[in-house]
């Protein structure tokens, strides 16, 4: 009997240890993420350069980045897991040729994951860049062009096509065509390239970390994978990229059954029907297939665990205020397919403190799983205009730390306590500036919503004429912080009115005065 009891106890401890290890992975339960059986919400940072710095011997920058992120309360870091280039003298290149890898660069990736583990921070890794930086999809196409056999005997691209480039939000670009037979889109469609890419997915997922002895696919400090960074194409239907995502995500799920898989896309679509288009400054290209991707189709894919968007309003001819609509719209679309949303990159070139506070408040209360700022800088990394150094950039760092605390608190309780009653606060700053001297003048309108309600926020001039609708949407409980773009409004006194129609409770409204000064 004693031996039976010991055997049962050992079996119990073995099962418990195994389940404990599995529970450390971030998983999906419907449209929420979980860790250790509890909800997981996060604020994180992009630091794309970590592997590169480690490969060049600058491990201090890697360590410092994770220290800073932890001090801010961040729990996820997004960083590149690729560098595809035929330069054997560059210590940071991971893949010299298809299937030919640089062990020094891979050990640098190992080191980065090890430091993440020591810091208690999880890492999100994309497999390839859409843009030509770090090789990108076009490097696979160049390798393909070096093979003797041509993919087609019929030329598909003219010299003019080969001169065309697509430019992204941060000035990144890729060439549409590289030869008369091959172009960027062949990364998605060519069978040989797809096989090369699958080999890379498999090699990275199954690699055993030289510092921890744990394979990547068994490492709970790997938050998950993204198939690409900002995939785009020339196919306005979006079907080309969607088909590629389906094939690659299904394959990756066979190789790695533990980790989440996302697309890494920006949020563009092939139809505007699911979005509050009137708030997007008539930027029809966002939803007409111009970028060659469909957020809705990609998010609906059964092999994709979380939906992905990025947010750069200045690059898209939008105001910072439209960023809140971009976030809430995509949360709703993702939720319709039972998927959590991750804001994988966000950045602004104007008034970052109030803007990030507003965007992160929307992400938090509307139910985004997480948001990852572009970018947190350490060491001598150059600033692309969006970079934040903490504690140097004091007010922005304070907002990030405060919001990280709230995301972490939501992880503990699953939700945040609602305000006790409806309240409207004075906008800030007030008076607010418009015109050129304000660059992109904006003010924040804050109010308490005690429970789920339809909310309208409207702006009126001194004659009582409505001049702007700031919000007209369903909102969850919380202290909301909406942005009002005043750059095009003339000087004068205005009045803003906030009205709520709760699903349960009494309708309420309040009005306050706002002053604009040029």
């Amino acid at each position: 009997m004693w031996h039976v009891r010991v055997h049962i106890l050992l079996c119990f401890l073995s099962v418990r240890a195994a389940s404990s290890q599995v529970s450390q992975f971030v998983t999906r339960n419907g449209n929420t993420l979980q860790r250790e059986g509890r909800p997981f919400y996060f604020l994180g940072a992009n630091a794309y350069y970590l592997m590169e710095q480690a490969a060049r011997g600058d491990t201090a920058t890697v360590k410092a980045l994770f220290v800073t992120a932890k001090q801010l309360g961040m729990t996820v870091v997004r960083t590149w897991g690729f560098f595809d280039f035929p330069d054997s003298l560059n210590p940071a290149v991971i893949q010299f040729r298809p299937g030919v890898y640089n062990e020094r660069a891979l050990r640098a990736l190992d080191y980065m994951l090890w430091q993440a583990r020591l810091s208690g921070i999880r890492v999100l890794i994309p497999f390839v860049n859409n843009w030509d930086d770090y090789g990108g999809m076009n490097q696979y196409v160049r390798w393909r062009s070096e093979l003797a056999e041509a993919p087609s005997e019929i030329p598909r691209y003219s010299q003019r096509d080969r001169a065309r480039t697509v430019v992204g939000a941060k000035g990144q670009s890729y060439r549409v065509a590289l030869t008369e037979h091959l172009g960027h889109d062949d990364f998605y469609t060519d069978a040989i390239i797809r096989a090369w890419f699958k080999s890379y997915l498999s090699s990275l997922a199954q690699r055993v970390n030289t510092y921890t002895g744990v394979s990547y696919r068994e490492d709970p400090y790997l938050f998950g994978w993204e198939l690409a960074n900002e995939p785009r194409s020339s196919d306005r239907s979006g079907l080309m990229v969607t088909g590629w995502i389906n094939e690659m995500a299904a394959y990756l799920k066979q190789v790695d059954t533990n980790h989440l898989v996302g697309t890494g896309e920006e949020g563009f679509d092939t139809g505007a029907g699911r979005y509050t288009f009137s708030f997007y400054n008539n930027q029809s290209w966002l939803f007409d297939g111009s970028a060659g991707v469909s957020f809705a189709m990609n998010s609906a894919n059964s092999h994709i665990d979380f939906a992905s968007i990025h947010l750069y309003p200045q690059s898209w001819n939008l105001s910072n205020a439209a960023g809140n609509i971009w976030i809430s719209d995509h949360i709703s679309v993702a939720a319709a397919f039972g998927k959590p949303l991750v804001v994988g990159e966000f950045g602004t070139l104007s008034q970052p403190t109030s803007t990030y506070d507003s965007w992160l408040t929307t992400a938090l209360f509307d139910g985004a799983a997480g948001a990852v700022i572009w970018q947190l800088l350490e060491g001598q990394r150059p600033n692309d205009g969006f970079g934040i150094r903490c504690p140097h950039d004091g007010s922005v760092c304070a907002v990030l730390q405060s919001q990280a605390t709230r995301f972490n608190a939501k992880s503990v309780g699953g939700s945040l306590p609602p305000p006790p009653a409806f309240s409207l606060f004075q906008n800030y700053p007030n008076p607010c500036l418009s015109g050129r001297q304000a660059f992109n003048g904006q003010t924040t309108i804050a109010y308490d919503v005690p429970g789920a309600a339809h909310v309208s926020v409207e702006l009126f001039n001194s004659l009582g004429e409505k001049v702007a609708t700031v919000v007209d949407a369903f909102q969850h409980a919380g202290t909301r912080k909406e942005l009002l773009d005043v750059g095009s409004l003339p000087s004068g006194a205005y009045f803003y009115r906030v009205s709520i129609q709760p699903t349960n409770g009494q309708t309420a409204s309040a009005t306050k005065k706002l002053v604009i000064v040029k």
Side-chain angles (χ1 to χ4, degrees):
M1 179 64 72
W2 181 81
H3 293 287
V4 173
R5 288 178 178 174
V6 170
H7 178 72
I8 293 173
L9 177 60
L10 290 175
C11 288
F12 170 76
L13 291 175
S14 176
V15 170
R16 184 177 180 183
S19 63
S20 174
Q21 183 181 15
V22 171
S23 70
Q24 291 292 319
F25 293 95
V26 179
T27 59
R28 178 174 71 90
N29 182 15
N31 63 348
T32 61
L33 299 180
Q34 288 190 329
R35 186 187 64 189
E36 299 178 357
R38 297 164 66 176
F40 181 61
Y41 297 93
F42 64 90
L43 179 62
N46 279 274
Y48 71 92
Y49 48 84
L50 295 180
M51 179 280 298
E52 182 180 9
Q53 294 302 115
R56 299 184 187 283
D58 182 11
T59 56
T61 290
V62 179
K63 289 181 179 179
L65 184 282
F66 283 114
V67 168
T68 301
K70 186 168 186 176
Q71 289 174 342
L72 290 171
M74 294 176 171
T75 53
V76 172
V77 165
R78 181 173 178 264
T79 189
W80 292 170
F82 55 79
F83 197 157
D84 308 295
F85 205 67
D87 181 2
S88 60
L89 298 179
N90 188 332
V93 171
I94 293 179
Q95 188 171 210
F96 295 133
R97 296 191 307 276
V100 179
Y101 305 125
N102 176 12
E103 182 62 20
R104 177 172 176 175
L106 289 171
R107 284 176 178 263
L109 200 61
D110 294 345
Y111 181 84
M112 180 275 299
L113 275 169
W114 177 45
Q115 290 303 310
R117 174 185 286 261
L118 294 177
S119 303
I121 290 174
R122 283 163 169 76
V123 179
L124 175 59
I125 298 180
F127 282 111
V128 68
N129 204 3
N130 173 71
W131 312 105
D132 286 345
D133 303 81
Y134 293 83
M137 294 179 180
N138 272 348
Q139 183 56 59
Y140 283 84
V141 178
R142 291 186 183 93
W143 283 325
R144 177 67 177 87
S145 70
E146 295 169 0
L147 298 182
E149 66 273 20
S152 171
E153 295 181 0
I154 303 174
R156 295 185 297 156
Y157 299 104
S158 66
Q159 191 66 34
R160 181 178 180 181
D161 290 328
R162 294 169 66 179
R164 288 173 53 214
T165 60
V166 175
V167 180
K170 301 183 292 293
Q172 300 162 302
S173 65
Y174 69 81
R175 289 174 58 188
V176 173
L178 285 83
T179 72
E180 63 179 7
H181 295 288
L182 287 164
H184 177 268
D185 287 353
D186 289 288
F187 175 84
Y188 303 111
T189 61
D190 184 83
I192 293 176
I193 294 176
R194 296 202 312 273
W196 287 342
F197 189 63
K198 285 181 181 177
S199 178
Y200 187 68
L201 301 185
S202 178
S203 296
L204 210 57
Q206 297 184 77
R207 177 176 173 80
V208 176
N209 192 310
T210 54
Y211 289 90
T212 66
V214 178
S215 70
Y216 284 26
R217 64 182 175 181
E218 294 172 340
D219 189 345
Y221 287 91
L222 178 62
F223 170 86
W225 307 104
E226 287 181 339
L227 296 176
N229 174 57
E230 301 186 339
R232 294 194 191 186
S233 79
S234 303
D235 171 29
R236 296 178 73 99
S237 74
L239 293 172
M240 179 189 295
V241 173
T242 295
W244 176 83
I245 285 171
N246 182 65
E247 180 181 352
M248 296 304 160
Y251 176 78
L252 182 57
K253 284 291 189 180
Q254 294 174 358
V255 177
D256 180 353
T257 59
N258 291 319
H259 289 108
L260 303 170
V261 177
T263 64
E265 65 191 289
E266 296 159 278
F268 308 129
D269 217 324
T270 55
R274 300 175 183 271
Y275 304 91
T276 317
F277 184 69
S278 59
F279 286 87
Y280 290 112
N281 192 31
N282 296 315
Q283 298 302 300
S284 59
W285 69 273
L286 296 170
F287 307 114
D288 69 0
S290 294
V293 288
S294 170
F295 173 81
M297 286 195 295
N298 298 338
S299 299
N301 189 288
S302 61
H303 304 300
I304 294 299
D305 296 300
F306 61 92
S308 307
I309 63 169
H310 294 176
L311 174 55
Y312 295 99
Q314 282 81 27
S315 298
W316 302 343
N317 198 25
L318 299 175
S319 67
N320 285 341
N324 288 305
I325 307 299
W326 184 258
I327 293 169
S328 60
D329 273 357
H330 284 84
I331 290 173
S332 297
V333 174
F337 298 113
K339 302 293 175 67
L341 180 83
V342 172
V343 186
E345 294 183 16
F346 64 90
T348 182
L349 296 173
S350 67
Q351 304 186 52
T353 302
S354 58
T355 300
Y356 294 158
D357 198 26
S358 177
W359 289 351
L360 291 172
T361 296
T362 295
L364 182 76
F365 288 123
D366 284 354
V372 191
I373 189 172
W374 185 276
Q375 58 173 316
L376 191 59
L377 295 175
E378 287 288 347
Q380 302 302 312
R381 295 305 305 185
N383 192 339
D384 59 3
F386 299 98
I388 303 297
R389 296 185 187 274
C390 292
H392 178 267
D393 296 308
S395 60
V396 178
C397 299
V399 161
L400 295 177
Q401 188 169 40
S402 173
Q403 291 286 359
T405 299
R406 300 167 81 195
F407 274 91
N408 294 337
K410 189 175 181 181
S411 293
V412 172
S415 62
L416 297 174
F422 168 69
S423 296
L424 176 61
F425 306 105
Q426 186 62 53
N427 68 294
Y428 57 93
N430 189 42
C432 47
L433 300 176
S434 69
R436 292 182 179 178
Q437 75 274 24
F439 185 41
N440 182 25
Q442 68 184 32
T443 189
T444 301
I445 297 175
Y447 50 91
D448 283 342
V449 180
H454 185 275
V455 178
S456 67
V457 181
E458 300 169 308
L459 183 69
F460 301 87
N461 62 21
S462 58
L463 299 177
E465 300 166 329
K466 186 167 72 171
V467 296
T469 298
V470 183
V471 173
D472 182 15
F474 176 86
Q475 292 189 338
H476 297 279
T479 300
R480 313 293 300 213
K481 299 177 181 179
E482 300 293 341
L483 299 174
L484 171 63
D485 180 12
V486 302
S488 61
L489 296 174
S491 298
Y494 294 81
F495 299 88
Y496 58 96
R497 181 175 65 200
V498 177
S499 303
I500 66 169
Q501 295 178 313
T503 54
N504 294 303
Q506 190 172 4
T507 299
S509 66
T511 302
K512 287 190 177 293
K513 184 178 180 180
L514 178 155
V515 177
I516 297 176
V517 178
K518 278 195 173 181

